[in-house]
Amino acid sequence: MRTVILKVNREEPEIDRIRAAAEIIRKGGLVAFPTETVYGLGADALNPEAVARIYTAKNRPPDNPIIVHVASRDEACRLTEEVPANARKLMDTFWPGPLTLVLKASGLVPRITTGGLDTVAVRMPGLKVTLALIAESGAPIAAPSANLAGRPSPTTAEHVRQDLDGRIDLILDAGPTKVGVESTVVDLTVDPPQILRPGGVPYEELKSTLDRVELHPVVLAEREIPLVQARSPGMKHRHYAPNAKVIVVEGRMDAIVTKVQELADQHRKTGKSVGILATGETESRYRADSVRSLGSRRDLASAAKNLFKLLREFDEDKVDIIVAEAVPPEGLGLAVMNRLRKASGFNIIRAD
Ligand code: TXA
Ligand code: MG
């Protein structure tokens, strides 16, 4: 299959290009498209054969359900059995935007889309080009992140091409994404609501909107948690991993810097090529084969925006090991730390 790449304006999308993409979706094909978080790999959510192609193209385990993207609240309501007051409040406050709600699925949603669960994850994305694509397709769009399963999520069309060239019909290229980490996933079928995956909408903002909301234990996990029944099957699969082995160093700032350099030196002595994932404040203090910065520790939004791109760049540098500094788990930092810990396979070292 030949994969076509089509540039499109993210704020004023060219309608002929959107229509060409929508035509592919309507016919059961696969289109990678930008959202405000990361690029998604889309298919008609109500067409089981089309959704099956997503799993094949990504090598995605069949029990990992897919988020359904909608262009309106009404569309979300049709896909769900009921929308509790809590969910309405979240839609009012955060939609369109990087927030995904897990609700009881209506009979309209094929089981392959929900990975066999009786719930469905719905999200109304906050980018004009995405909303235009959904509206023109005339169907909700099922879309996981547009990477091969297990790889860092794509924040540019080029990342999508690296992973999926020849496996999908079209990539819509609207430049780098703004948020850089995926949406926050909140389960509203439990009481109190639970955050299954931290993401673009910070926990602090959800707490100020809902009376009660909890972090699922897996979000804060420092090691693999055995899940009897993973509510978010994505929780149990390896994720976000570059080719290099990742080590995360957590603790006080100064202790982190000392430990990171010590680990880098140790591994380089054994002949390994080592990359260090630093921050603006610490970058100049390191020596390694490759040192890259997430940006200032005071600007965790930029850390989120840069994370996946940097993990891919370390692979281009061909490093064997990435030693990564932890950032504070506040605001978007919680999503960054969740991705880093998973990317490391919970290879976490405490520095103090
Ligand atoms: O920002 C995003 O959310 C991006 C863009 C493309 O919208 N999408 C994305 O999709 O990150 P994906 O498939 O990479 O991650 C979806 C997560 C997975 O952890 C999955 O297990 C969980 O959402 N999920 C999907 N449906 C669910 C359901 N019914 N119940 C619980 N978790 C669900
Ligand atoms: Mg993903």
Side-chain angles (χ1 to χ4, degrees):
M1 176 189 294
R2 193 174 148 256
T3 301
V4 176
I5 302 177
L6 207 54
K7 284 221 191 304
V8 61
N9 187 296
R10 87 172 86 186
E11 293 308 332
E12 289 166 50
E14 299 82 352
I15 192 65
D16 53 320
R17 299 184 182 193
I18 297 302
R19 286 200 176 124
E23 180 69 14
I24 295 173
I25 298 275
R26 272 201 302 273
K27 286 188 172 144
L30 299 182
V31 175
F33 59 90
T35 77
E36 76 276 47
T37 56
V38 301
Y39 275 73
L41 176 59
D44 179 346
L46 306 183
N47 176 344
E49 283 100 53
V51 175
R53 287 188 192 107
I54 294 180
Y55 286 92
T56 310
K58 280 194 58 137
N59 291 332
R60 185 180 179 95
D63 64 348
N64 195 357
I66 299 179
I67 296 173
V68 181
H69 298 70
V70 296
S72 69
R73 272 169 67 145
D74 283 352
E75 203 170 6
C77 291
R78 279 196 294 279
L79 300 172
T80 54
E81 202 57 1
E82 59 157 335
V83 180
N86 270 340
R88 286 188 194 279
K89 211 166 174 185
L90 292 178
M91 289 174 180
D92 287 341
T93 313
F94 298 106
W95 277 14
L99 182 69
T100 296
L101 307 179
V102 173
L103 297 163
K104 282 261 173 273
S106 76
L108 215 61
V109 189
R111 278 300 152 112
I112 186 167
T113 304
T114 65
L117 300 175
D118 59 5
T119 55
V120 62
V122 286
R123 139 162 147 88
M124 179 171 169
L127 202 58
K128 271 218 180 117
V129 58
T130 329
L131 295 171
L133 176 65
I134 302 165
E136 281 296 323
S137 300
I141 296 185
S145 50
N147 50 279
L148 284 174
R151 299 266 302 144
S153 295
T155 56
T156 66
E158 171 56 21
H159 296 161
V160 179
R161 199 196 57 75
Q162 287 166 7
D163 280 17
L164 299 177
D165 191 24
R167 304 170 77 97
I168 63 178
D169 297 290
L170 178 70
I171 303 172
L172 283 179
D173 178 0
T177 58
K178 277 194 237 160
V179 179
V181 291
E182 304 88 338
S183 61
T184 303
V185 179
V186 185
D187 186 349
L188 290 143
T189 67
V190 292
D191 188 34
Q194 259 189 352
I195 297 176
L196 304 181
R197 179 179 73 181
V201 172
Y203 178 38
E204 294 85 343
E205 286 189 31
L206 291 171
K207 272 196 296 197
S208 68
T209 305
L210 295 182
D211 294 335
R212 289 163 69 221
V213 55
E214 283 177 356
L215 290 170
H216 190 284
V218 129
V219 171
L220 297 167
E222 302 196 354
R223 71 191 104 83
E224 208 96 48
I225 292 186
L227 290 174
V228 180
Q229 227 245 327
R231 200 126 34 72
S232 190
M235 288 172 169
K236 65 183 186 202
H237 299 293
R238 185 145 188 257
H239 260 105
Y240 314 117
N243 298 323
K245 178 182 155 193
V246 179
I247 306 170
V248 185
V249 181
E250 304 187 6
R252 273 183 311 105
M253 252 277 291
D254 275 327
I256 288 182
V257 174
T258 309
K259 192 65 177 181
V260 166
Q261 188 63 58
E262 189 185 304
L263 286 166
D265 291 345
Q266 239 173 49
H267 286 288
R268 288 176 90 200
K269 267 194 204 121
T270 69
K272 297 268 195 271
S273 172
V274 177
I276 293 180
L277 183 61
T279 49
E281 288 80 356
T282 59
E283 176 179 25
S284 65
R285 297 168 68 179
Y286 293 125
R287 265 163 314 283
D289 298 288
S290 161
V291 178
R292 296 182 177 277
S293 167
L294 285 168
S296 169
R297 303 178 77 80
R298 289 185 307 264
D299 178 9
L300 295 169
S302 79
K305 187 176 170 128
N306 293 328
L307 176 69
F308 290 136
K309 176 185 73 171
L310 295 178
L311 290 179
R312 282 179 185 257
E313 284 173 8
F314 280 122
D315 279 346
E316 284 162 25
D317 298 339
K318 300 231 163 19
V319 299
D320 304 303
I321 294 170
I322 300 168
V323 187
E325 273 180 18
V327 297
E330 302 147 11
L332 288 173
L334 183 63
V336 172
M337 283 313 298
N338 169 268
R339 307 308 187 270
L340 268 180
R341 285 173 163 185
K342 283 185 131 188
S344 77
F346 299 92
N347 189 351
I348 299 164
I349 295 192
R350 288 218 61 93
D352 45 8

